[in-house]
Amino acid sequence: MTDMMIRETTVETAPPAAVQPPAPAGKPESVWLVVALREMAVKLRNRGFLISTAATLALILGALGLQVYLGSVANKVDVAVTGAQGPELLRQAVAAASAAGEDVKFTAKPYDSPDAVRAAVSAGDIEVGLLPAGDSWTLVGKTDRNSLASTWIGAAAAQNALQRNATAAGTTTAQLSQGAEVGYQLLAPSDTPRAVVMAATYVFGFLFYLAAVLLGVALATSIVEEKQNRVVEIIASSIRLRDLLIGKIVGNTVMALGQIVLLAAFGVAGSLAMGESEALRQIAPALGWFIAFYAVGIAVLACIYAVAGAISSRVEDIQSSTTPVSLIVALVFIAGISVSGPVREILSFIPLASTITMPGRIVAGEVAWWEPVAALTASVVVGSLIILAGERIYRRALMQTGGKLTIRQALKLAE
């Protein structure tokens, strides 16, 4: 029992350097690659990783499918009519909408009488009714107005009235409407529409946030489990802790990149199937930059989450250790999708925040060629410094099993 107590005390208090032998002879530079391949193999067998990837794919496909469905039904309105004039007015309304570039379809549903039309609308069987009222028309709704019906059926009725009155006055509709045309001039027709910019920025931010949190927490948890099971002591007897950390960062970053490429491929395929090729053309220049920023950001966060796992001694400590990091990622996501103007320009050069804001500005066409280069360079430089500091904390804290450490305590530990 005395020997066991001495052995236990030695494991908990010995500095990391005492259990770190030199790298294996032969090809020491490839040790981290072995660790990285092991991390990727573990991820590919991890049920949580596979379920999260499948769930995200299902979410993307579901969102695309919902958009297709809403797009197919949003501009289709069934209209209850009575008599022969109603269907003709609906055809004129469709023609007026088409001339304005709107894809609107009104389908006439005939009823025997005005009372039957009102009864159908009141019962909720149909949303809109169209009834003649002398020389004019009345649209019938139950609780609110249908904007498509009031706009385009109203435009068709106004055109009919104009033509009828012009004939009665012995003139033409062209003469009566002379000077009433309203043109629409686009000052920057080649720029990306604001809706596309906002959608792309949100997608970039959401994917980065999701991958960072899911992969980061999983990485921290695996490190703590290795500490609790004393597996890390066996690993540390064979390789350097620096190689172990590098391998974990590379392995998890590659898996995150593979996941984002897979999700992007599904998103692109779905958008093409929806006929959104123009929007994809506008987003395409930012995709490569996003992946580059994404890789740097995920690598830095993988190191930070690894440090969070190293300073924890139990799985129960993970939540408190990773919450500050997850909070920062959440704030970056919220700021990235909500800010605009000079604030967004500033954030696009700040590491981590630039992962979301700079690709968004590229989609908007607001950047010079050197701006994403400068922002990515800043991210690499700052990220490298963070990884170097994190590696130092990781090596000093990983072998400590006496309890949860703070960053300051870990830095005070001897090598």
Side-chain angles (χ1 to χ4, degrees):
M1 177 178 292
T2 302
D3 293 342
M4 293 177 62
M5 292 175 60
I6 294 174
R7 191 179 301 113
E8 179 69 16
T9 303
T10 303
V11 170
E12 293 192 6
T13 59
V19 293
Q20 292 187 66
K27 294 184 178 181
E29 69 279 0
S30 65
V31 174
W32 65 267
L33 181 58
V34 175
V35 177
L37 293 175
R38 173 182 174 274
E39 286 292 312
M40 289 186 280
V42 170
K43 276 285 185 293
L44 289 174
R45 295 193 300 267
N46 183 269
R47 181 178 301 177
F49 175 77
L50 297 177
I51 290 177
S52 66
T53 302
T56 307
L57 285 175
L59 182 63
I60 292 175
L61 294 178
L64 292 173
L66 179 61
Q67 187 173 350
V68 171
Y69 171 76
L70 293 177
S72 65
V73 302
N75 292 343
K76 293 183 179 180
V77 181
D78 292 337
V79 182
V81 298
T82 180
Q85 293 180 320
E88 177 60 27
L89 185 63
L90 295 182
R91 284 191 289 270
Q92 294 174 0
V94 171
S98 179
E102 297 290 337
D103 183 17
V104 178
K105 183 178 180 181
F106 295 111
T107 302
K109 299 294 182 181
Y111 284 81
D112 296 333
S113 65
D115 289 338
V117 169
R118 292 188 180 92
V121 173
S122 180
D125 297 334
I126 199 162
E127 184 179 357
V128 182
L130 177 63
L131 298 176
D135 291 336
S136 62
W137 296 86
T138 299
L139 288 170
V140 180
K142 184 176 181 180
T143 58
D144 56 3
R145 297 169 178 260
N146 182 286
S147 59
L148 290 176
S150 61
T151 299
W152 298 113
I153 296 177
Q159 182 64 27
N160 282 347
L162 181 64
Q163 185 173 358
R164 184 172 61 249
N165 295 335
T167 301
T171 184
T172 64
T173 57
Q175 291 176 327
L176 288 179
S177 59
Q178 185 176 1
E181 297 84 2
V182 177
Y184 212 123
Q185 180 184 12
L186 297 178
L187 299 178
S190 61
D191 288 357
T192 305
R194 178 175 174 80
V196 175
V197 175
M198 294 179 63
T201 304
Y202 180 84
V203 170
F204 291 152
F206 175 75
L207 291 177
F208 177 66
Y209 171 76
L210 186 67
V213 173
L214 292 180
L215 292 178
V217 173
L219 174 60
T221 302
S222 68
I223 290 176
V224 175
E225 289 176 346
E226 289 176 355
K227 289 182 65 172
Q228 281 189 309
N229 299 331
R230 301 303 177 100
V231 174
V232 69
E233 297 178 12
I234 300 175
I235 297 176
S237 66
S238 303
I239 66 174
R240 297 177 302 178
L241 295 183
R242 178 180 289 107
D243 292 326
L244 178 60
L245 176 61
I246 294 174
K248 286 183 176 294
I249 292 175
V250 172
N252 282 273
T253 302
V254 170
M255 291 305 299
L257 283 174
Q259 189 180 48
I260 200 68
V261 169
L262 179 63
L263 296 177
F266 270 78
V268 169
S271 298
L272 288 175
M274 293 170 54
E276 298 291 344
S277 58
E278 179 62 21
L280 285 177
R281 183 192 65 79
Q282 295 165 335
I283 295 174
L287 285 177
W289 284 108
F290 171 67
I291 291 176
F293 280 98
Y294 178 89
V296 176
I298 289 295
V300 173
L301 288 175
C303 178
I304 296 175
Y305 276 108
V307 170
I311 63 176
S312 304
S313 294
R314 303 176 305 161
V315 174
E316 292 80 5
D317 298 332
I318 288 297
Q319 183 175 359
S320 60
S321 299
T322 59
T323 294
V325 188
S326 300
L327 181 60
I328 292 175
V329 176
L331 291 175
V332 167
F333 169 58
I334 295 172
I337 64 175
S338 59
V339 298
S340 60
V343 177
R344 185 172 69 161
E345 294 181 15
I346 294 173
L347 288 181
S348 67
F349 290 96
I350 297 178
L352 204 61
S354 60
T355 305
I356 303 172
T357 50
M358 182 57 76
R361 291 186 63 210
I362 293 173
V363 172
E366 301 174 353
V367 300
W369 67 267
W370 59 268
E371 292 186 66
V373 175
L376 184 60
T377 302
S379 294
V380 171
V381 172
V382 174
S384 299
L385 296 176
I386 293 175
I387 290 176
L388 288 175
E391 183 262 347
R392 182 180 180 185
I393 299 172
Y394 178 86
R395 285 188 291 106
R396 296 185 177 193
L398 186 63
M399 303 303 295
Q400 305 299 318
T401 58
K404 180 183 174 182
L405 299 171
T406 64
I407 298 296
R408 181 176 299 179
Q409 291 172 336
L411 287 172
K412 291 181 179 179
L413 294 174
E415 291 281 352

